[in-house]
Amino acid sequence: MDALPSFYDDLDGFRAEGWRCLAEGVENRHSPFHTPSLATVDAAGRPRLRTVVLRAAEAGEGRLRFHCDRRSDKARELAESGLAALHVYDPPAKLQLRLEGRARLHRDDALADAAWAAALAMSRVCYGVEPAPGTALAAGDAYALPDEDPEARIGRENFCAVVLTVERIDLLYLDRRGHRRAVFWREGEGWRGTWVAP
Ligand SMILES: Cc1cc2nc3c(=O)[nH]c(=O)nc-3n(C[C@H](O)[C@H](O)[C@H](O)COP(=O)(O)O)c2cc1C
């Protein structure tokens, strides 16, 4: 039988493992943490889900960043509610991570400029799509993308960086010898947490 992971009965270590996985997900496109599911609520209170690419994870600040088109449904829902949740399950690691927090959209500030500057040309072109994301089309290919020019600012006006300030973390580790689940919430500058029944 496999050795138990170091965080198995270590509450602080469990939280640190969650942030370690998120940081790894930013760098490693093969990690399940690279492409979490993002949940929002629409104006009628209905839940909405979609995949996003995780672009930054700062454990110290408890913040995450991803990017989207400011014309998209998700941008509208995030702006209206200010709320978001993320979910990842890593099957080989048998680790589920759920995060909830407050989302802030950065469209025209220094943070958005820096995120745009760091984005690859192949990512930038997506923000130049016409018509806007979600618009009904007469045919599947009835949309246009700009050329991949690394110097071009086409799409910048539609680009939006979203920073999620995490307020609650729910970690679940599956193991035949006994699952481990813990919940953490912000308290002041730090985190409080407790083991909970899985
Ligand atoms: C692997 C993968 C990564 C994606 N990454 C992003 C992303 O980083 N940002 C984004 O806005 N949409 C991303 N998408 C597309 C969204 O999942 C979604 O289909 C689209 O943005 C429309 O969502 P909305 O109507 O809820 O705004 C990704 C989709 C996949 C399958």
Side-chain angles (χ1 to χ4, degrees):
M1 192 159 293
D2 292 344
L4 290 167
S6 59
F7 57 79
Y8 190 70
D9 279 318
D10 172 1
L11 194 57
D12 288 337
F14 202 16
R15 191 183 74 245
E17 177 64 8
W19 284 104
R20 191 195 66 75
C21 291
L22 288 163
E24 190 188 349
V26 172
E27 303 299 333
N28 177 5
R29 65 190 174 88
H30 300 296
S31 162
F33 290 84
H34 190 60
T35 47
S37 298
L38 166 72
T40 52
V41 282
D42 71 10
R46 282 183 292 247
R48 313 278 320 276
L49 273 174
R50 78 289 285 161
T51 312
V52 292
V53 172
L54 187 62
R55 301 292 180 180
E58 300 162 33
E61 304 285 326
R63 289 200 191 119
L64 304 173
R65 175 166 52 83
F66 56 89
H67 301 160
C68 70
D69 192 307
R70 70 175 76 176
R71 301 168 295 173
S72 65
D73 283 0
K74 76 177 80 52
R76 185 168 41 254
E77 290 157 8
L78 290 166
E80 284 173 5
S81 75
L83 300 172
L86 282 180
H87 163 269
V88 184
Y89 177 59
D90 182 338
K94 296 177 289 177
L95 188 67
Q96 174 182 263
L97 175 61
R98 297 192 295 163
L99 304 163
E100 297 162 18
R102 306 228 150 238
R104 185 168 158 211
L105 278 63
H106 295 261
R107 301 178 180 94
D108 302 309
D109 57 9
L111 190 148
D113 283 342
W116 174 262
L120 299 174
M122 60 181 262
S123 300
R124 289 180 179 182
V125 295
C126 302
Y127 299 96
V129 70
E130 293 292 346
T135 305
L137 303 174
D141 64 353
Y143 66 91
L145 288 169
D147 289 337
E148 265 189 41
D149 174 356
E151 300 304 320
R153 289 184 60 81
I154 298 167
R156 172 64 187 87
E157 69 278 11
N158 302 322
F159 175 79
C160 171
V162 181
V163 174
L164 178 68
T165 301
V166 179
E167 295 181 335
R168 189 174 189 279
I169 305 171
D170 184 324
L171 278 158
L172 173 65
Y173 171 71
L174 302 178
D175 195 291
R176 263 178 297 169
R177 290 158 286 189
H179 306 326
R180 289 291 183 271
R181 182 180 170 199
V183 173
F184 304 90
W185 58 95
R186 272 182 188 270
E187 204 162 87
E189 297 295 296
W191 293 91
R192 283 277 304 270
T194 179
W195 296 108
V196 297

